Amino acid sequence: MHERPLAGIRVLDLTNVLAGPYCSYQLMLLGAEVVKVEVPGRGDLARQLGSDPDLNRRGIGASFLAQNAGKKSVELDLKEAADRAVFEELVGAADVLLENFRAGVLARLGYDWPRLQALNPALIACSITGFGQTGPMSQAPAYDQIIQGLSGMMSVTGTQDTAPLRVGFPVCDSIGGLAAALAITAAVAARHRTGAGCHLDVSMLEASISAMGWTVSNYLVAGVPPEPTGDQNATAAPSGTFDAADGPLNIAANRQEQFESLCRLVGRADLMSDVRFAEREGRKAHREALNDELNQALRSRPAAEWERLLTAAGVPAARILTVPQAVELEQLHHRGFIQELPFPDGSGRPLRVVSSGVLFDGAPLTPGDPPPLLGQHNTSVPELLASWRAARLVSEGAAE
């Protein structure tokens, strides 16, 4: 792999828990040098979060370990004069400042956007909040579940009987983090042309609604509000979860030729000529009847066998796995998606973390170092500042 695309980019990361750390983790994988600024003695709240109580007590909770490999940790109290001076030097030499405080908190600490610009005119500052820096909801507290509910996401998750349901992982945090990472990389590219920094105002609510696809566009464009459809795809049929002999099976026969191949493979070619199912809209209108017919046929074989047969015929189909099963897929192993690092405490215990899902020149993006202990790089600040100042001078010279 050639040099990573963000090599030489210096990121000052003030974020906590998930959306912000997930963003800076993506930037680190792309080659950026990320320095976490953490509250002395306490650090990122994620250090205390996860399913292993012992790790939580030791400040290296599973939630922290998952998103912070390859970063450095420096403890600074932005209410203390000496630490503020160090912070301002870091800002002056950084390329990116990333924060996910509630709107206005950084400004109240004395670092609004004009102040940051004065410290570093080329700085890209990115703020991730639940609702954005402006507007009537900007001061409301927001966690992933709050955004899931307000976005409409929960209203379409589950069935008519069970909705609203929370999506089973913090999807809005992840979407917010990805939106921020995309915006930052775009801003870095723009600054290469203009030399000017900018402020990026990322709203998790807006990013989440943007990512909801047809559930939003069907209403905005066609005036049709979405409804919860459980494990069925409302845009096509047969498309959803079906019954194999040993458990559930996902099938997405969204195209006409896929439907016809499915019918032939399950021994029900007669369904192709049934007037209820011959065309796409008819299949959607008679979804339950079609699913009943297919389920009877699909119960004759186990899910893995159907997955093999249908996939070979070009019909999207796959078993439904647990998380432990999913992370052990040979496909992920083949692409180097899960990487093994040493635990940061020196215990020798292996730590498995995920990559980004992107290969650069055929190679996965991997963290070089384990997640940092709280304040692990405090004593390295003078060397860090010297390195960042030198890099800043080089970049300024290249821009002239």
Side-chain angles (χ1 to χ4, degrees):
M1 182 178 69
H2 299 307
E3 186 177 60
R4 298 191 189 194
L6 292 183
I9 297 299
R10 304 168 299 282
V11 178
L12 201 56
D13 180 7
L14 280 65
T15 65
N16 275 268
V17 186
L18 185 50
Y22 183 69
C23 170
S24 60
Y25 184 64
Q26 302 306 309
L27 300 176
M28 179 279 302
L29 289 171
L30 289 167
E33 181 181 9
V34 178
V35 173
K36 286 183 68 72
V37 174
E38 303 193 66
V39 176
R42 189 167 75 237
D44 188 336
L45 177 61
R47 290 183 176 276
Q48 305 166 44
L49 303 177
S51 58
D52 187 324
D54 179 60
L55 293 179
N56 296 343
R57 284 191 294 270
R58 293 159 55 197
I60 49 173
S63 295
F64 179 83
L65 296 176
Q67 309 296 338
N68 289 283
K71 305 177 188 178
K72 298 179 173 68
S73 171
V74 171
E75 293 173 287
L76 294 175
D77 184 346
L78 298 187
K79 297 179 181 179
E80 295 291 333
D83 284 0
R84 287 171 66 89
V86 173
F87 174 70
E88 290 176 13
E89 288 191 78
L90 287 167
V91 170
D95 293 292
V96 176
L97 183 145
L98 177 65
E99 59 98 359
N100 64 346
F101 299 121
R102 193 181 302 186
V105 168
L106 194 59
R108 289 195 291 275
L109 288 169
Y111 299 108
D112 59 10
W113 175 230
R115 173 62 175 152
L116 293 172
Q117 274 186 305
L119 290 169
N120 183 349
L123 183 70
I124 296 165
C126 181
S127 302
I128 306 173
T129 56
F131 308 106
Q133 298 291 304
T134 61
M137 298 181 71
S138 62
Q139 293 302 307
Y143 289 101
D144 179 87
Q145 181 148 351
I146 302 302
I147 303 299
Q148 285 199 31
L150 284 169
S151 67
M153 194 176 292
M154 290 176 64
S155 75
V156 294
T157 303
T159 66
Q160 294 282 355
D161 295 328
T162 62
L165 287 177
R166 176 185 178 276
V167 178
F169 68 99
V171 59
C172 295
D173 276 322
S174 299
I175 289 172
L178 283 175
L182 175 61
I184 289 168
T185 53
V188 168
R191 192 186 61 182
H192 182 71
R193 298 192 310 273
T194 67
C198 64
H199 180 237
L200 304 170
D201 176 0
V202 178
S203 159
M204 286 170 55
L205 176 64
E206 293 166 31
S208 297
I209 294 175
S210 173
M212 288 171 62
W214 60 261
T215 56
V216 172
S217 62
N218 276 351
Y219 177 70
L220 291 178
V221 177
V224 178
E227 296 181 351
T229 56
D231 56 16
Q232 295 294 303
N233 176 5
T235 67
S239 188
T241 302
F242 296 85
D243 300 334
D246 59 345
L249 172 74
N250 273 332
I251 298 174
N254 295 353
R255 290 160 34 190
Q256 184 68 25
E257 61 268 29
Q258 293 168 343
F259 168 65
E260 293 174 1
S261 294
L262 172 64
C263 292
R264 285 191 289 267
L265 281 169
V266 302
R268 292 299 307 274
D270 59 297
L271 296 176
M272 293 186 287
S273 57
D274 189 311
V275 294
R276 296 172 299 172
F277 313 138
E279 297 181 352
R280 181 185 184 91
E281 292 304 316
R283 291 195 292 274
K284 288 165 58 179
H286 299 93
R287 180 189 302 273
E288 290 187 12
L290 176 58
N291 288 356
D292 287 343
E293 298 287 352
L294 289 172
N295 278 329
Q296 291 179 35
L298 289 164
R299 292 187 189 110
S300 64
R301 296 175 187 261
E305 188 172 346
W306 282 124
E307 179 181 325
R308 178 178 57 81
L309 291 170
L310 292 169
T311 299
V315 179
R319 295 155 292 156
I320 296 175
L321 304 180
T322 64
V323 170
Q325 291 171 326
V327 297
E328 300 302 335
L329 280 169
E330 176 59 28
Q331 175 69 15
L332 302 184
H333 175 74
H334 173 81
R335 289 174 56 86
F337 175 68
I338 296 177
Q339 295 290 315
E340 189 170 294
L341 304 169
F343 247 70
D345 60 2
S347 64
R349 175 180 171 184
L351 170 65
R352 293 203 299 169
V353 298
V354 301
S355 184
S356 66
V358 177
L359 300 187
F360 266 80
D361 292 328
L365 299 172
T366 59
D369 298 303
L373 298 174
L374 178 60
Q376 181 175 333
H377 300 91
N378 286 350
T379 58
S380 303
V381 169
E383 293 82 3
L384 179 68
L385 277 168
S387 170
W388 279 27
R389 288 192 198 103
R392 173 75 185 278
L393 289 173
V394 170
S395 62
E396 286 177 344
E400 291 177 355

